[in-house]
Amino acid sequence: MSHQTALVTGGSRGIGLGCALALAKDGYSIAINGMRPESQVANVMEQIKVAGAPQVIYCQGDVGTSYGRAAILTKVREEFTCLNLLVNNAGVAPKDRKDILETSEESYQRVLSINCEGPYFLTQAVANWLIRQKKDNADFFGSIINVNSISATVASVNRGEYCVSKAGFAMTTQLFAARLGEMDIPVYEVRPGVIKTDMTSGVTEKYDKLIADGICVTKRWGLPDDIGKAVAALARHEFPYSTGQVIMVDGGLTIPRL
């Protein structure tokens, strides 16, 4: 294909959709991944197309399973034949927020399989694909962007499994950045703070108060568009000497203050 292509996991809603729309504006053809039937995301696909994507496809599949990841990449290969960018965005919160003294093994395994194991092995598969494309075409450019969370370093004792998954995901960025450096394939991480999505809808009142009380330097919720702009800037290769680095998009929440 003459234009660039991107796969955005969890790209049919929330932060993932914000990323897909921003990349569409830059002319990427977009493959969005999600769990819902394709009939339920038709309006989202049209929205991405209107934003500027030459082609939009939907790849249904669970990134937390090997067969789900294989199905996703099979469809991307069939429809696009090539891939320039992977945006690892799909993730889940625990179904029930529980004190770490009460975390169940079932919840821990579910969250870790989707948030950490999934992107690790999806990145592995895509990295090998990017390497092959690079070997076939010296002018080819590919990159990987991981959309993580401030929970990689900010402890929340009522959702410990989520924090552990995000800490592991952060190391995935470091590992693949180090491994792919010799092939000139950069790997970046965008780390959102408190973002207004369906995932945070259940704690809106809590964070409304925290934001009003100054938990963030920028006194507002983050929006999916804020993350999308950061991802698009990285995808445009505007940070060619920054592989492995973390871009904080948290309104200053993690700035140590007295």
Side-chain angles (χ1 to χ4, degrees):
M1 300 180 73
S2 60
H3 51 271
Q4 293 192 313
T5 62
L7 166 61
V8 183
T9 66
S12 67
R13 55 166 44 127
I15 290 174
L17 178 55
C19 295
L21 290 170
L23 292 169
K25 290 175 183 177
D26 279 354
Y28 274 81
S29 279
I30 307 292
I32 57 171
N33 150 256
M35 293 292 291
R36 290 179 289 171
E38 184 166 348
S39 60
Q40 294 183 18
V41 298
N43 61 330
V44 173
M45 294 173 68
E46 181 62 25
Q47 188 179 352
I48 296 170
K49 188 173 292 186
V50 169
Q55 186 177 356
V56 184
I57 64 171
Y58 183 64
C59 305
Q60 186 181 20
D62 182 355
V63 298
T65 66
S66 58
Y67 57 84
R69 294 187 293 271
I72 293 164
L73 291 182
T74 294
K75 184 161 185 181
V76 175
R77 288 190 183 96
E78 289 175 349
E79 297 288 340
F80 287 168
T81 70
C82 72
L83 184 67
N84 298 93
L85 171 65
L86 168 64
V87 179
N88 279 309
N89 165 79
V92 296
K95 290 180 179 178
D96 299 302
R97 291 190 176 215
K98 289 187 176 181
D99 187 288
I100 57 173
L101 298 178
E102 300 174 349
T103 303
S104 69
E105 290 187 17
E106 179 185 14
S107 179
Y108 184 93
Q109 290 163 359
R110 170 181 171 268
V111 172
L112 266 289
S113 69
I114 296 171
N115 293 3
C116 192
E117 180 181 335
Y120 183 98
F121 286 105
L122 185 61
T123 298
Q124 180 190 73
V126 169
N128 279 296
W129 187 8
L130 296 179
I131 291 168
R132 289 194 296 272
Q133 292 177 97
K134 187 84 169 179
K135 288 180 179 178
D136 291 341
N137 178 7
D139 293 328
F140 173 83
F141 191 89
S143 60
I144 297 165
I145 302 174
N146 293 331
V147 179
N148 201 349
S149 167
I150 59 170
S151 293
T153 59
V154 177
S156 298
V157 296
N158 64 344
R159 51 175 186 158
E161 63 269 55
Y162 184 79
C163 296
V164 171
S165 73
K166 294 303 183 180
F169 189 22
M171 180 51 70
T172 297
T173 301
Q174 300 295 303
L175 288 167
F176 280 96
R179 183 65 182 86
L180 298 178
E182 64 184 88
M183 278 72 78
D184 193 27
I185 298 173
V187 182
Y188 306 106
E189 182 174 324
V190 174
R191 202 170 284 180
V194 181
I195 309 299
K196 188 171 280 296
T197 66
D198 54 356
M199 184 182 286
T200 54
S201 60
V203 289
T204 297
E205 186 176 346
K206 170 186 174 180
Y207 283 110
D208 278 346
K209 184 178 187 307
L210 287 171
I211 291 169
D213 290 342
I215 192 173
C216 300
V217 174
T218 304
K219 283 194 172 186
R220 67 168 174 85
W221 282 79
L223 301 173
D225 182 60
D226 292 313
I227 312 305
K229 288 176 179 177
V231 166
L234 291 168
R236 287 194 295 269
H237 323 313
E238 295 182 2
F239 298 84
Y241 201 53
S242 299
T243 189
Q245 298 307 302
V246 177
I247 308 298
M248 304 300 295
V249 188
D250 66 354
L253 188 154
T254 53
I255 297 174
R257 287 171 286 160
L258 292 174

